[in-house]
Amino acid sequence: MFTGFLKNVWYVGLPSSELAINKATARKILNEPVVFYRDSKGKVSAMRDICPHRGIPLSYGRVVNDTLECPYHGWKFDGTGMCTEIPSLCPDQDLNPNKIKVRSYPVHEAQGLIWVFMGDKDFDLSKVPQPPVMEGFPEGKKPNLTYVVNFPCHVDHAVIGLMDPAHGPYVHKSWFWRSEKSMLEKKKLFGPVDFGFQMIRHKPSSNSKAYKLLGGVPTTEITFTLPCVRVEHIQVGERKFYSYTALTPVDEKNTRITQLAVWDIPWLSLFKPAVDKFGKVFLGQDMDAVTKQQEGLKYDPSLMLIKDADTQAKWYYSLKTEYHNALEEKRPFVNPVKQTELRWRS
């Protein structure tokens, strides 16, 4: 079982709303310092956040003429990571700045998120898991709500905690959700998708009160894809609601959770403050659980995964291991998930 960080995949760097025109922002991803900046035309670039001259983070600098200027000596780097200017050079000094380069990363901006490809240079991007798309929303539509939260845990524990179907009555014990007193037996059909699996569309369980707030007869499907993206798509007639959660490994002890809520239900926008409160409470409850979990994990206990409630966690590890092994062995990825019906109580 592979428990390291997956590489040669797309991760969320930050929400689009956090990167203004002519601004730079630092992030740590897979233990690597990365700086994102947006030029005057709105284009986003990403590079290693260390100046090759004296090592100061470039994110402390500023965007000048669509280049990122180092705050120490004014060296400027374009979106490809190439140095375009060294101000201290005299005209007759024989040094070509263009030969000095910082590692740059491919970026992809779509539907309110800026993705960065953390992997080998010149890797074939067509062969990697693509960021999931929320169907039916125009490219210019902004998310209705955006949350960014740091979970103080390894990405594996964060992923398993967010996909776990049995913790709801205990971690999310609330009047608007459920408690152990309302637990029912659940039976859900799952099937494989590209680089992941999906809980096939169904009507939500009768004890899932939050869905009833949407009115009508909602149906939902939940899809997980590598490296760690969970998308719930709720349909109410012709209307849609998406809960889009992407996890980014910061380092071995921290994971950044980026969550979007997107809908085209006009009346729901009137209750946006309530939906916002619900989202923050829900994520906060998960964060509280994984934070307390770290106290026990310090002692390196043996952990268990049971049938059927933990089968999704088993699939996650299987998918992750298969992707890693397929790259190592230079062969096509083979999805280990088969169509399966799972049963649990929650």
Side-chain angles (χ1 to χ4, degrees):
M1 182 172 68
F2 178 68
T3 58
F5 295 144
L6 277 187
K7 296 184 179 180
N8 291 308
V9 287
W10 292 96
Y11 286 108
V12 167
L14 67 164
S16 298
S17 58
E18 291 189 10
L19 192 63
I21 294 287
N22 290 330
K23 294 295 182 182
T25 299
R27 289 289 184 270
K28 185 163 73 166
I29 303 173
L30 306 184
N31 272 318
E32 285 292 320
V34 180
V35 58
F36 297 85
Y37 82 91
R38 191 187 295 277
D39 68 19
S40 62
K41 302 176 184 65
K43 181 182 177 182
V44 178
S45 299
M47 65 185 77
R48 193 161 192 258
D49 193 17
I50 297 177
C51 180
H53 180 211
R54 301 297 297 277
I56 193 170
L58 292 167
S59 55
Y60 287 121
R62 57 179 184 156
V63 180
V64 179
N65 296 327
D66 293 340
T67 63
L68 188 54
E69 180 187 79
C70 175
Y72 206 167
H73 299 89
W75 291 27
K76 296 179 179 62
F77 299 87
D78 67 14
T80 70
M82 181 179 71
C83 184
T84 61
E85 181 184 348
I86 298 178
S88 62
L89 282 179
C90 297
D92 60 343
Q93 290 179 320
D94 186 19
L95 174 61
N96 182 0
N98 295 170
K99 292 184 178 180
I100 301 171
K101 296 187 177 181
V102 176
R103 168 72 191 275
S104 64
Y105 301 93
V107 293
H108 170 68
E109 184 171 18
Q111 296 191 316
L113 294 172
I114 296 170
W115 299 80
V116 57
F117 182 76
M118 302 298 293
D120 300 331
K121 195 173 182 180
D122 301 322
F123 194 88
D124 186 351
L125 300 184
S126 68
K127 296 182 179 180
V128 307
Q130 300 302 307
V133 174
M134 293 178 280
E135 300 290 348
F137 288 105
E139 181 54 42
K141 177 176 173 57
K142 296 181 180 180
N144 297 81
L145 294 168
T146 302
Y147 310 97
V148 180
V149 180
N150 185 75
F151 277 23
C153 65
H154 188 279
V155 66
D156 288 350
H157 292 297
V159 170
I160 291 172
L162 290 174
M163 68 167 52
D164 170 21
H167 73 279
Y170 299 94
V171 173
H172 300 298
K173 187 183 300 184
S174 305
W175 66 266
F176 53 77
W177 194 240
R178 65 183 69 145
S179 72
E180 69 271 23
K181 295 179 181 179
S182 65
M183 290 174 66
L184 299 174
E185 181 176 316
K186 310 292 175 64
K187 185 188 299 183
K188 309 294 182 184
L189 186 63
F190 290 78
V193 297
D194 289 346
F195 298 102
F197 59 87
Q198 182 179 86
M199 182 190 291
I200 294 170
R201 186 166 293 282
H202 61 283
K203 292 182 181 179
S205 302
S206 59
N207 63 343
S208 299
K209 299 176 184 177
Y211 292 101
K212 297 178 182 179
L213 299 177
L214 298 174
V217 184
T219 62
T220 182
E221 68 179 18
I222 301 174
T223 306
F224 174 85
T225 52
L226 290 176
C228 32
V229 184
R230 178 190 183 276
V231 181
E232 180 170 7
H233 175 202
I234 304 170
Q235 192 84 30
V236 186
E238 296 298 316
R239 300 297 184 179
K240 299 172 290 296
F241 182 104
Y242 280 94
S243 175
Y244 193 113
T245 309
L247 290 79
T248 304
V250 176
D251 53 35
E252 286 78 5
K253 295 183 178 181
N254 292 280
T255 300
R256 191 161 47 251
I257 315 296
T258 305
Q259 182 163 324
L260 308 180
V262 185
W263 64 79
D264 63 358
I265 306 172
W267 66 263
L268 189 59
S269 296
L270 299 175
F271 296 91
K272 185 175 177 179
V275 178
D276 183 35
K277 177 68 174 178
F278 171 81
K280 289 177 179 176
V281 168
F282 213 74
L283 267 178
Q285 291 168 333
D286 280 317
M287 182 172 66
D288 182 58
V290 298
T291 300
K292 292 174 179 175
Q293 181 190 28
Q294 304 318 297
E295 295 182 24
L297 292 178
K298 288 187 297 186
Y299 301 96
D300 195 25
S302 297
L303 302 179
M304 300 172 59
L305 293 175
I306 66 171
K307 286 184 61 177
D308 284 6
D310 292 332
T311 294
Q312 293 179 70
K314 294 180 180 180
W315 285 342
Y316 163 67
Y317 280 121
S318 296
L319 287 161
K320 183 179 176 182
T321 300
E322 167 60 16
Y323 188 78
H324 171 77
N325 291 346
L327 291 182
E328 289 285 306
E329 298 164 13
K330 299 182 179 179
R331 60 171 176 79
F333 172 87
V334 179
N335 195 324
V337 178
K338 308 300 180 185
Q339 184 163 307
T340 309
E341 183 178 79
L342 300 180
R343 297 168 55 237
W344 66 86
R345 293 186 71 247
S346 70

